[in-house]
Amino acid sequence: MTLAEPVAAQAPLVQRLLDGLAAIGADPPGITREAYGRGENEAQALAAAAGAALGLAATTDAGANLSLRWAGRDPAAPPVLIGSHLDSVVQGGNFDGAAGVVAGLAAIAALQAAGLRPRCDIEVLALRCEEAVWFGLGLIGSRCLPARLPPGALDLRHARSGKTLAESISARGGDPTRLRQGTPLRDPARLGAYLEVHIEQAPQLVEAGAPVAICLANPGNVRHPFIRIAGEDAHTGLPHRFRRDAALAGADLMLALERLWLEEEAAGRPMVVTIGRFHTPAERHSLTMVSGRFELSLDLRAYSADHLAALEARLAAIVAEVAARRGVRIDLGERSAAAPGPMDPAIIEGLAAAAAQAGLPGQRLNSPGSHDANNFAASGVPTGMLLVRNRNGSHNPDEAMETGDLMAAIAVLVHWLAARTA
């Protein structure tokens, strides 16, 4: 029996899990699975039940991440982790993150159906709170494992419940006291590999007509969720030379950042600028007032730590120039960062060989998004990712991954695991 048959046999399991996750998160017109809330908790329970049916051992770590472990033949062999997240943005889609957890479970089911048992443990991880919408900080579950939570993270408050991250973790069986020690929950040097399957968040695979691609790198990011500009409220008739207009300063800042983006791309240095929030304060703005206050958010992304550092330096210069020219103060406020995630060259080649065995093209792409894989790669764990074709982008109700495309990614994953863990 080839691996194609046991992989194909998992299609009903995959569809049942995807449908179950959609029912848990149903929030018309989209999907909401709140981190550390009902949606994420019930999704973890669904994954745990599927793992139990496969004979996997379930444990919860200090960050309240769920691990489903299939014991290998050699307990001393470094384990292979397959992970992703189950939370979503508010009224997003069903597949961002969750497809990767489903893929891990289906891959183990396929290997079991093929009569194979791995040399090392294989673990499926359902990582907590990948989406930054809940605490203003993303990748929280995967930050916990290698002790990459930034200072003060456990005191951040949940956007809905108002609980601190420490309180949220404790309520779900985690141990924030252990996290405050700042030592890894898992020693990166003792992990054999981390693999993640994730929907693509750009239409590159739709454009290429390919169901799956091997990821080359994920960008890191620097985020400022609450940039505040302070100028001076004034009458709308005030001549230009007297104005300290915070709204125009915000516009200047945004356009200067776009010019930076285009310059960097033209020079062959891929990056992204995103302004998510951009507004005068709703309680103060008026048709007949020059606004002395303005707020925006900023997400800068690039594929190397050096490039991110250079972009931050450029950001500081742009902020100083705009503030001086407009006569305003610009406070960048809170800062969070995620390290870039270059994929392991040996895993990239191994996944390419696995794709060939599965009869699939070995398309190779950068991911436009930061993922939990970033934290493993930044900690020295050999890391790989597969990107699954997905129409209409992500973080919206119109995510449109086809189950057949996820099955293609599972086939690549199974062939890689069979070779890697023989």
Side-chain angles (χ1 to χ4, degrees), residues 263-330:
E263 290 169 7
E264 293 294 296
E265 282 201 339
R269 296 186 291 268
M271 63 161 293
V272 175
V273 171
T274 302
I275 308 292
R277 295 172 49 254
F278 190 77
H279 57 90
T280 52
E283 72 278 8
R284 290 279 297 160
H285 60 201
S286 167
L287 175 65
T288 58
M289 186 178 77
V290 175
S291 182
R293 291 162 56 193
F294 198 81
E295 297 183 7
L296 65 151
S297 65
L298 173 63
D299 183 312
L300 282 177
R301 298 191 171 203
Y303 289 91
S304 78
D306 288 346
H307 194 193
L308 272 176
L311 292 174
E312 280 206 272
R314 292 287 301 277
L315 170 63
I318 288 169
V319 164
E321 188 278 327
V322 171
R325 179 159 46 82
R326 289 288 181 182
V328 300
R329 295 189 311 278
I330 302 178

Side-chain angles (χ1 to χ4, degrees), residues 150-233:
L154 290 168
D155 300 318
L156 296 172
R157 293 196 175 272
H158 194 287
R160 283 193 172 176
S161 73
K163 292 181 179 179
T164 66
L165 177 56
E167 291 168 339
S168 301
I169 288 173
S170 181
R172 302 307 169 197
D175 183 1
T177 301
R178 170 71 176 81
L179 297 176
R180 289 188 193 277
Q181 294 172 5
T183 55
L185 305 182
R186 303 287 294 269
D187 181 358
R190 296 181 61 82
L191 300 178
Y194 174 83
L195 271 290
E196 184 167 348
V197 176
H198 203 285
I199 60 171
E200 199 202 0
Q201 295 167 301
Q204 297 173 102
L205 285 172
V206 174
E207 182 181 67
V212 63
I214 299 158
C215 182
L216 297 174
N218 296 331
N221 64 61
V222 172
R223 289 172 169 165
H224 291 279
F226 300 106
I227 299 175
R228 294 178 173 87
I229 302 177
E232 188 175 84
D233 291 341

Side-chain angles (χ1 to χ4, degrees), residues 378-421:
S379 301
V381 179
T383 298
M385 280 191 72
L386 293 169
L387 303 174
V388 184
R389 178 168 53 191
N390 165 58
R391 297 181 187 277
N392 307 325
S394 70
H395 289 191
N396 67 69
D398 298 321
E399 285 178 6
M401 180 198 73
E402 296 181 10
T403 303
D405 289 344
L406 181 59
M407 294 304 300
I410 292 167
V412 177
L413 182 59
V414 168
H415 280 86
W416 183 86
L417 287 168
R420 171 65 183 259
T421 67

